[in-house]
Amino acid sequence: MYIPNFLFALALLFVAHAETSVEEENDENNRYNIEGRIFPLSDYHTTQANWQANTRVHVNGGEYLGFVKRDGSFVVHNLPAGSYVVEVFNPEYTFEPARVEINSKGKFRARKVNHIRTSEVIVVPYPLRMKALGKTRYFQVREQWRITDLLFNPMVMMMVLPLLFIMVLPKMMNDPDTKKEIEQIQNMAKFELPEMSDMVSNFLAGSTMPSEKSEKNQVSASKKNAKTRKRVDK
Amino acid sequence: MASFQSIMKKYPSLLVILLNFQTLLALYEDQVGKFDWKRSFIGKVKYAHFDASRIIVGTEENIIASLNMKNGNILWRQLMENPKEQQLMLLHSDRDLLSVSGTMNNWFVRTWDHQTGTLLSEWTIFSDKNIPSVFTVEKGTLLHIFPTQNSHLDVVTYNLDGNNQKNTIKIPAPWITDISNCVLSKSYYICISKNDISGQLYYVNILSEKPKVYIKTLHSVLGDTPDLIEILPFEDIFPAFLLSSNGQAKVIHVDEDVVNTKIFKVMPNAVSNHNGEKPFIYQLEPASNPDKLVQIRVKDYATCQDEMATELEYPVGLGAPIIIATATKNTLTDVLLSTTDNAFMLVRLSDGKIMWTREEALSNIIAVEFFELPVSELDASIENEFKASSNSILSMLSHRLNTQAKQLSTLIFGEHPMSSSGLVRDAFGLHKLIVVATSVGKLFAIDTLSGSIVWSYRLPNVKPFSILGEDKILLFAQRTARYAPLPAQCILIANDKYSGNGVIFQFDPITGYSQKGIEKLNYQIAQAIHLPYEDDQHLKPVLMISSTNEVYLYPSCAMGEVYKYTSKLYTYLVDNTGSFKGYSFIHSTKDKLKMTPSWELQLQPAKLVAVKTKHPNERVHSQGRVLPDRSVYYKYVNPNLIAVATVSDDPVHKHVLSVYLIDGVTGLILYATSHKRSRGPIHLVHSENWIVYSYFNERFRRTEFAAAELYEGHVQSNSSVFSSFAVSLLPHVQTQSYILPATPLSVTVTLTERGITNKFLLAGLSGGGVIEIPWLLLQPRLNDIPCSPEESCIPYMPEIPLPSEAVINYNQTIGRIDGIEVAPARLESTSHILVHGIDLFYTKVAPSKTFDMLKEDFDHMMIILVLTGLVISSYLTKYLASKKALKQMWK
């Protein structure tokens, strides 16, 4: 649900810019306005027809309010100099809060909210650019019952496999045809699998005489075949 | 949320534990609306305008909203600033909707889109004059008028065509004697100098080039009348007002020099309607038909003739109405009424049918009590059979026969009407009735299953108490519905609006029936205590202490019962100055209870901000906490403990928050702490052996939670009985504090029947969500003992995670949360929750999941299939085995 916000990484570059360019002062009683803009996610328009009316801007937990205009911009009016936490609430989307500091000269600085290390300053651009972090997940996904879940359950597998061995294998052993077949399969398997020692020796020999490798392989394979045939005959 | 993320980055090892923890709590999407409901409100309507198929309203809660004309549902709603500080001053509906709201010297002018409620423009007005002022919109300009008594009028005009050009004029007006004798109509400011016939009428057109003051004698306008004369505003398309005397009013038009008195008389509540074919005047009157309460009289505006009178189907429970707005479309006229008990309704003329009613009193709930429903009649009669009251065999036999006959009759003729209405107790106590008292003095009973209003009762002239700056009405459940055939009984205690004396209203919470009605007391109430003892009628008496420290008992016949316990009875009184006094009842006699002061505590100059005792129904299941070495650390569970928080101003630290834990019997301070540079709002929660409080830390500019837990130690002094007097050692106190990355508006703790279930804190946040925080996250970690998941201990984290899955009201934002009320269900795992603010939200929470109930998604089908499959296969194999055995034998 958290989309990494590259905006803030970029923001560091704009520190000087933000501090000097955005300076606004109301002549009346030294009251200031916090300005910003909310950037909706691309799927806003499909789900929420008028997200602007459903989105609220709270400063210091609702002490001051801002309403969102059609273009997504907002202004919070009439704030004395101080430090404010700006939060954006929408029933469907989560936004990251920002702290805006207005000094007595009317200079603005916006930074990330960090409650643990309160002195740490990661500057974000001002006027604020509030971007939805993502859709808020209020619900747990219900686990659905699927037959595969049951079958691939380790307990079930542990039960089914021994059952197979107990029930099926003895029957197969009784049947003469299958017996033959098994033997054949085993022969086949042995035929195809080269022996480990051969492989090693081949490898060692192959490093010196790569051209003879295939020949040797064939020889060793035929040797092995002979061995296994003997074994079967026994 | 973001901070949660940052914590996760720092402490990745916690992730696993937390995930385990949090995923347990969330709701499934298909559970939405299954056991929760939300009702939305807007507050008492102040302004209303018709706009196509919508109604635009502005309310005393500083809210503007748009309602659907067909059913009164909210289409959109915008909550503006806190109504305690700022009020809506003007709502003007033109091409756009214009609202002016603010304080005495600071206003917001906002324009809104009719259709969606989106803000179009916003600017502020600031003034250094601290006098009441009025706003009006006339000819595309916003007029802001400051009347200064006996001196002049300051008029500031603002152009509304975008550039908000400002223009100030000053009109000398030494004739303004009293602002209540002045009205503003269109661009005319009109005053009368005296309230009788010798007075003069002054008026001035503010918008004219050179404002000229016209003076007329009231005698020349009204003729001779001996009564007091009042000036009232009148909505009209011309500058007009009403002069009312003796309950009758005359419409007066002014236009420059001409004063035109309409010859007909109207009621002071009359309004005019010009948007039909013919203009009319509407007024409300008491109905001539004794069966109906109210009628609307329609008068022709031009000829002043009575056109018709329509009797309304006015419901009995509502207060007196006034007309807020009217509109005519084709032949139908819609009239919007607002009543003294904050209801808002649409009446359609000419048949006088009430199309819909909104009970806006519910937007301001100040007391809540949950009630169990009575058992069905059949169950009640069965229960009666096992009572010892009938001891002779004959009477028992007759009783049995009687019950069986009744059972038979219900079987044949169907259920009793009472039970068919659905208000019958269910097996788990999940169906309850919520009785709420509102600030206007109207009582409602709400069904927890559907959220519908079961009954309502209006208490006229009732005023709430003001306790620590909050409005409160007391509701006590004297008898629950358990004792059939005795009805449940509840008592409401409030103040009389005029005398300030106490008022008692006793009623049956299930039906709303009151035997005695409102009983007025002849003393002021300082304290009311709900005693835990039952008398022979199973009534729990209520003790009331008057402001002169006299003690009264309700019902007074319970005296004999209460006298038995006077040696164990203690109470405390708090006054606004911050003095805390404890009293005992030792010197009471058999016929008079008497309070004896036992201790006193002065908290001045600190300001008392919170006093909390434990919930009287709370039970502590576990006596101690098991430590990793399998020893028990015993809890200090003192039922007499009072938690108190004060805030004092300090020259160095700005504000200092102090928290005390005081034994209510002895006055002993068991624990005291202070937080420098901390201020309110303080939310204090007190439960079992711990307290949690939230405050704002000014130094770090963040909201913090602090938890304190009391322990007796490794030895329990007395495991069966607790006595406040048997103090040998002070309890050990464990404390810890946390950061809450949000602003809480209300905090409470869950409550279950037996206290076995884990505790959750429920915090209503400023964003409109109610979040559950497990107590385990806040419980102070013991210093020298390692914290591991096996010990169900989560390592300390400075910031409390607030995952969105823990929001119990998911996307159903609740406006301006005011309080969260909790009640146990009979199912141990479950608590009922009612969140009230502008909206009302009810749900159930299960802090330890529903361990005592099958899960909703329990697969009954699967179990049945597997079992039947097993049975069938076992029989099949038995049959096959026998067949095989037979074959074998034949071989």
Side-chain angles (χ1 to χ4, degrees):
Chain A
M1 79 188 260
Y2 300 106
I3 296 165
N5 208 331
F6 295 108
L7 204 80
F8 294 111
L10 279 173
L12 279 170
L13 302 174
F14 294 121
V15 178
H17 176 71
E19 289 221 344
T20 51
S21 69
V22 192
E23 194 175 316
E24 190 183 319
E25 198 172 329
N26 275 7
D27 43 340
E28 293 163 334
N29 214 17
N30 278 344
R31 294 277 179 149
Y32 305 97
N33 299 342
I34 292 180
E35 289 172 21
R37 202 182 166 120
I38 291 165
F39 290 89
L41 289 182
S42 53
D43 60 338
Y44 254 128
H45 299 283
T46 54
T47 53
Q48 271 180 301
N50 58 335
W51 61 272
Q52 293 94 337
N54 294 335
T55 309
R56 292 159 304 140
V57 180
H58 280 201
V59 172
N60 277 7
E63 209 179 321
Y64 302 94
L65 300 180
F67 294 91
V68 185
K69 286 187 195 165
R70 277 221 182 100
D71 60 352
S73 65
F74 67 88
V75 182
V76 184
H77 290 275
N78 272 339
L79 300 137
S83 170
Y84 301 96
V85 175
V86 181
E87 292 167 290
V88 177
F89 295 109
N90 182 289
E92 277 181 41
Y93 296 92
T94 309
F95 291 86
E96 188 167 23
R99 188 181 282 282
V100 175
E101 278 151 355
I102 311 169
N103 70 8
S104 51
K105 286 176 195 152
K107 276 196 176 172
F108 284 72
R109 181 174 73 173
R111 59 183 175 111
K112 275 188 152 186
V113 177
N114 190 338
H115 287 300
I116 297 172
R117 266 177 269 152
T118 46
S119 53
E120 192 183 66
V121 177
I122 300 169
V123 176
V124 297
Y126 183 89
L128 296 169
R129 298 163 66 83
M130 312 292 266
K131 210 171 170 187
L133 289 174
K135 208 163 180 162
T136 314
R137 260 188 54 212
Y138 292 109
F139 303 108
Q140 200 182 336
V141 183
R142 198 185 274 284
E143 278 177 33
Q144 277 172 335
W145 190 84
R146 267 180 252 108
I147 190 86
T148 45
D149 284 357
L150 186 81
L151 287 182
F152 293 115
N153 189 332
M155 293 298 275
V156 173
M157 300 250 282
M158 264 163 66
M159 271 169 62
V160 167
L161 267 177
L163 209 75
L164 263 175
F165 281 120
I166 296 164
M167 303 286 285
V168 184
L169 276 180
K171 275 203 173 162
M172 283 169 86
M173 289 302 167
N174 287 342
D175 193 39
D177 288 347
T178 41
K179 236 183 196 175
K180 258 183 201 167
E181 257 173 52
I182 289 169
E183 272 169 25
Q184 262 179 3
I185 290 165
Q186 276 173 347
N187 289 347
M188 293 278 277
K190 272 169 188 160
F191 181 78
E192 275 159 22
L193 275 175
E195 229 164 84
M196 198 61 198
S197 55
D198 288 344
M199 266 177 70
V200 173
S201 59
N202 279 348
F203 178 70
L204 291 172
S207 59
T208 49
M209 295 172 285
S211 56
E212 286 174 35
K213 192 187 166 189
S214 56
E215 238 173 82
K216 269 215 165 172
N217 251 351
Q218 276 178 355
V219 174
S220 66
S222 59
K223 262 186 197 168
K224 204 178 79 188
N225 265 353
K227 264 186 204 168
T228 44
R229 240 168 252 153
K230 263 180 210 165
R231 219 178 278 157
V232 171
D233 288 346
K234 271 179 196 170
Chain B
M1 229 51 33
S3 34
F4 174 60
Q5 189 187 20
S6 63
I7 283 195
M8 289 294 85
K9 277 180 198 154
K10 282 166 210 154
Y11 311 95
S13 62
L14 289 184
L15 190 69
V16 182
I17 308 163
L18 266 177
L19 282 181
N20 280 338
F21 219 71
Q22 303 298 353
T23 47
L24 284 175
L25 315 172
L27 206 67
Y28 295 114
E29 192 154 7
D30 51 79
Q31 285 175 318
V32 165
K34 255 187 184 166
F35 42 76
D36 57 23
W37 47 258
K38 182 191 169 193
R39 299 283 171 274
S40 293
F41 300 98
I42 48 176
K44 182 173 181 153
V45 176
K46 216 168 159 183
Y47 308 102
H49 297 285
F50 286 92
D51 174 63
S53 62
R54 295 180 295 264
I55 298 165
I56 308 282
V57 293
T59 73
E60 290 187 350
E61 296 288 337
N62 205 6
I63 290 170
I64 58 168
S66 170
L67 305 179
N68 187 334
M69 195 125 81
K70 285 201 186 84
N71 48 23
N73 287 346
I74 297 171
L75 297 170
W76 55 260
R77 183 180 75 177
Q78 289 288 8
L79 278 71
M80 295 192 283
E81 283 78 3
N82 186 354
K84 278 179 188 149
E85 292 153 13
Q86 307 207 4
Q87 270 296 329
L88 193 61
M89 308 280 290
L90 176 76
L91 187 72
H92 180 80
S93 178
D94 203 350
R95 194 163 49 87
D96 302 323
L97 189 66
L98 178 98
S99 74
V100 179
S101 65
T103 56
M104 281 281 259
N105 50 16
N106 200 347
W107 299 269
F108 295 99
V109 183
R110 292 174 174 134
T111 55
W112 310 87
D113 181 34
H114 279 124
Q115 191 87 34
T116 58
T118 312
L119 184 79
L120 299 175
S121 70
E122 183 181 27
W123 46 284
T124 53
I125 298 176
F126 185 80
S127 143
D128 45 11
K129 299 184 192 73
N130 268 319
I131 52 171
S133 56
V134 280
F135 287 92
T136 189
V137 173
E138 198 56 41
K139 291 177 189 147
T141 54
L142 176 71
L143 298 178
H144 187 192
I145 300 152
F146 296 92
T148 312
Q149 277 181 26
N150 302 321
S151 172
H152 62 277
L153 277 175
D154 283 300
V155 182
V156 190
T157 51
Y158 300 92
N159 259 335
L160 288 177
D161 51 4
N163 52 3
N164 300 340
Q165 218 168 37
K166 199 170 149 185
N167 186 20
T168 312
I169 53 169
K170 202 168 185 176
I171 302 168
W175 34 269
I176 301 172
T177 49
D178 188 354
I179 293 164
S180 65
N181 274 344
C182 293
V183 294
L184 180 71
S185 179
K186 303 291 151 189
S187 62
Y188 280 81
Y189 197 77
I190 306 148
C191 285
I192 55 172
S193 59
K194 266 188 195 164
N195 288 87
D196 57 38
I197 200 69
S198 65
Q200 307 260 14
L201 177 74
Y202 298 89
Y203 59 92
V204 58
N205 185 359
I206 292 159
L207 276 189
S208 63
E209 294 278 306
K210 281 189 181 152
K212 191 188 166 214
V213 180
Y214 300 95
I215 307 168
K216 299 268 145 100
T217 58
L218 282 179
H219 191 268
S220 68
V221 178
L222 277 183
D224 226 354
T225 162
D227 299 302
L228 277 179
I229 297 165
E230 260 188 292
I231 189 163
L232 296 166
F234 185 71
E235 272 295 315
D236 209 334
I237 48 169
F238 315 112
F241 58 96
L242 292 177
L243 281 178
S244 133
S245 63
N246 198 16
Q248 289 271 311
K250 280 185 176 170
V251 179
I252 292 156
H253 285 160
V254 285
D255 184 21
E256 297 301 318
D257 197 22
V258 187
V259 175
N260 182 10
T261 312
K262 287 258 165 193
I263 50 167
F264 61 96
K265 292 189 168 181
V266 294
M267 299 278 279
N269 59 19
V271 294
S272 69
N273 178 5
H274 288 273
N275 55 6
E277 281 173 24
K278 233 160 71 175
F280 289 110
I281 284 183
Y282 296 87
Q283 68 181 44
L284 293 168
E285 297 175 343
S288 44
N289 181 350
D291 295 340
K292 305 280 173 64
L293 292 165
V294 180
Q295 65 181 21
I296 290 187
R297 186 170 292 280
V298 183
K299 290 186 179 194
D300 192 302
Y301 190 85
T303 63
C304 319
Q305 293 301 310
D306 276 12
E307 200 70 15
M308 59 170 176
T310 310
E311 282 156 356
L312 302 185
E313 300 284 340
Y314 200 73
V316 180
L318 292 178
I322 54 161
I323 299 174
I324 293 279
T326 55
T328 306
K329 208 193 237 172
N330 305 328
T331 56
L332 294 172
T333 301
D334 290 324
V335 181
L336 287 169
L337 301 181
S338 175
T339 69
T340 50
D341 55 347
N342 293 6
F344 185 57
M345 62 181 92
L346 178 72
V347 179
R348 186 152 287 173
L349 294 181
S350 55
D351 54 353
K353 201 174 148 206
I354 291 177
M355 305 301 288
W356 44 261
T357 308
R358 292 183 63 87
E359 288 284 5
E360 292 302 333
L362 284 170
S363 66
N364 213 334
I365 291 173
I366 50 176
V368 176
E369 190 71 47
F370 288 75
F371 285 93
E372 270 198 30
L373 291 165
V375 291
S376 65
E377 195 148 289
L378 201 65
D379 293 344
S381 60
I382 291 167
E383 257 176 52
N384 277 344
E385 211 160 306
F386 300 103
K387 279 197 179 144
S389 55
S390 49
N391 36 19
S392 78
I393 292 173
L394 262 179
S395 75
M396 275 170 85
L397 180 75
S398 74
H399 194 264
R400 161 60 64 91
L401 288 175
N402 206 352
T403 328
Q404 302 241 314
K406 263 191 206 160
Q407 268 177 308
L408 196 71
S409 77
T410 46
L411 206 71
I412 298 164
F413 303 111
E415 292 270 297
H416 189 264
M418 179 72 190
S419 47
S420 63
S421 70
L423 284 177
V424 167
R425 187 186 300 197
D426 61 341
F428 297 133
L430 298 177
H431 188 185
K432 284 199 172 195
L433 206 61
I434 311 170
V435 175
V436 298
T438 60
S439 61
V440 285
K442 196 168 186 183
L443 278 170
F444 293 90
I446 303 167
D447 190 337
T448 57
L449 285 193
S450 60
S452 56
I453 295 168
V454 178
W455 56 263
S456 65
Y457 197 103
R458 186 171 56 91
L459 302 166
N461 306 330
V462 158
K463 188 178 74 175
F465 298 105
S466 178
I467 303 168
L468 298 174
E470 270 181 64
D471 283 351
K472 279 268 148 58
I473 279 180
L474 302 173
L475 274 179
F476 293 122
Q478 286 201 293
R479 180 167 56 207
T480 61
R482 191 184 298 163
Y483 305 101
L486 292 168
Q489 190 174 316
C490 180
I491 179 173
L492 175 143
I493 303 171
N495 268 345
D496 189 86
K497 203 181 231 167
Y498 302 110
S499 65
N501 285 346
V503 159
I504 295 184
F505 178 68
Q506 183 214 69
F507 60 98
D508 177 351
I510 310 301
T511 58
Y513 172 72
S514 174
Q515 214 169 17
K516 296 175 185 163
I518 298 173
E519 295 165 69
K520 289 191 175 175
L521 307 174
N522 53 6
Y523 51 89
Q524 293 191 344
I525 295 171
Q527 170 78 292
I529 311 156
H530 191 208
L531 297 177
Y533 321 113
E534 284 179 3
D535 68 357
D536 49 355
Q537 292 285 303
H538 301 289
L539 274 180
K540 286 181 181 165
V542 173
L543 245 174
M544 282 171 292
I545 298 162
S546 76
S547 49
T548 53
N549 285 7
E550 297 281 316
V551 187
Y552 300 88
L553 201 61
Y554 188 93
S556 45
C557 54
M559 190 67 206
E561 193 67 28
V562 172
Y563 180 69
K564 281 189 241 166
Y565 299 102
T566 47
S567 63
K568 291 183 196 165
L569 205 57
Y570 297 86
T571 188
Y572 66 92
L573 291 179
V574 190
D575 62 18
N576 290 334
T577 59
S579 86
F580 228 89
K581 284 178 189 153
Y583 294 91
S584 70
F585 291 87
I586 296 170
H587 295 288
S588 303
T589 56
K590 272 213 164 124
D591 26 61
K592 182 113 188 83
L593 288 167
K594 194 168 174 291
M595 294 208 309
T596 314
S598 55
W599 54 269
E600 191 175 342
L601 189 69
Q602 289 293 339
L603 297 168
Q604 287 143 328
K607 199 173 149 259
L608 205 62
V609 288
V611 177
K612 275 277 157 77
T613 54
K614 285 174 206 176
H615 196 284
N617 293 344
E618 186 184 72
R619 291 199 190 172
V620 182
H621 177 75
S622 162
Q623 300 247 329
R625 178 172 171 185
V626 181
L627 301 182
D629 61 358
R630 300 291 158 252
S631 66
V632 180
Y633 201 34
Y634 286 101
K635 290 176 182 172
Y636 178 79
V637 187
N638 181 347
N640 311 318
L641 211 57
I642 309 166
V644 180
T646 66
V647 172
S648 53
D649 292 327
D650 189 282
V652 185
H653 307 296
K654 283 188 185 171
H655 303 281
V656 176
L657 162 73
S658 308
V659 175
Y660 307 92
L661 286 175
I662 302 165
D663 190 299
V665 172
T666 58
L668 176 72
I669 297 177
L670 290 159
Y671 170 68
T673 187
S674 66
H675 300 265
K676 284 163 198 154
R677 298 190 68 178
S678 298
R679 60 169 166 87
I682 310 290
H683 300 285
L684 186 62
V685 174
H686 187 184
S687 174
E688 291 197 347
N689 63 328
W690 50 265
I691 57 164
V692 169
Y693 49 95
S694 75
Y695 55 90
F696 187 78
N697 186 328
E698 287 180 318
R699 190 170 161 222
F700 296 113
R701 293 182 304 225
R702 63 193 183 197
T703 304
E704 293 182 3
F705 259 148
E709 207 175 9
L710 304 178
Y711 288 100
E712 272 192 27
H714 291 284
V715 191
Q716 202 172 19
S717 57
N718 189 337
S719 61
S720 52
V721 184
F722 180 87
S723 171
S724 283
F725 292 111
V727 186
S728 52
L729 285 168
L730 279 178
H732 306 181
V733 182
Q734 304 287 341
T735 56
Q736 203 135 47
S737 61
Y738 308 83
I739 302 160
L740 185 77
T743 314
L745 299 178
S746 179
V747 185
T748 190
V749 67
T750 58
L751 190 69
T752 53
E753 177 100 332
R754 291 179 196 286
I756 299 167
T757 309
N758 287 338
K759 292 266 180 189
F760 265 12
L761 261 84
L762 297 166
L765 306 178
S766 60
V770 178
I771 201 157
E772 42 188 22
I773 304 166
W775 159 241
L776 272 181
L777 273 181
L778 296 173
Q779 190 170 31
R781 309 332 189 241
L782 301 174
N783 269 342
D784 43 349
I785 291 163
C787 200
S788 64
E790 295 101 74
E791 304 298 333
S792 70
C793 173
I794 304 150
Y796 175 73
M797 284 176 292
E799 194 167 318
I800 302 166
L802 301 176
S804 55
E805 287 93 337
V807 178
I808 61 169
N809 56 333
Y810 44 101
N811 62 3
Q812 309 244 48
T813 312
I814 302 163
R816 295 187 197 141
I817 296 170
D818 211 26
I820 304 170
E821 309 295 332
V822 180
R826 231 162 339 122
L827 208 60
E828 168 56 29
S829 64
T830 312
S831 288
H832 295 273
I833 310 287
L834 183 79
V835 187
H836 56 90
I838 291 296
D839 302 318
L840 206 56
F841 180 80
Y842 163 85
T843 191
K844 290 189 285 243
V845 294
S848 303
K849 293 195 92 177
T850 46
F851 58 81
D852 45 6
M853 221 163 63
L854 273 186
K855 267 192 229 158
E856 258 181 43
D857 55 348
F858 182 80
D859 215 334
H860 290 91
M861 204 59 199
M862 178 76 184
I863 286 276
I864 290 169
L865 275 177
V866 166
L867 282 179
T868 45
L870 276 177
V871 169
I872 290 169
S873 61
S874 62
Y875 273 102
L876 209 73
T877 43
K878 192 181 166 193
Y879 170 73
L880 287 173
S882 65
K883 218 173 175 184
K884 198 175 181 184
L886 196 68
K887 255 186 194 166
Q888 214 102 56
M889 279 178 166
W890 275 106
K891 261 181 190 170

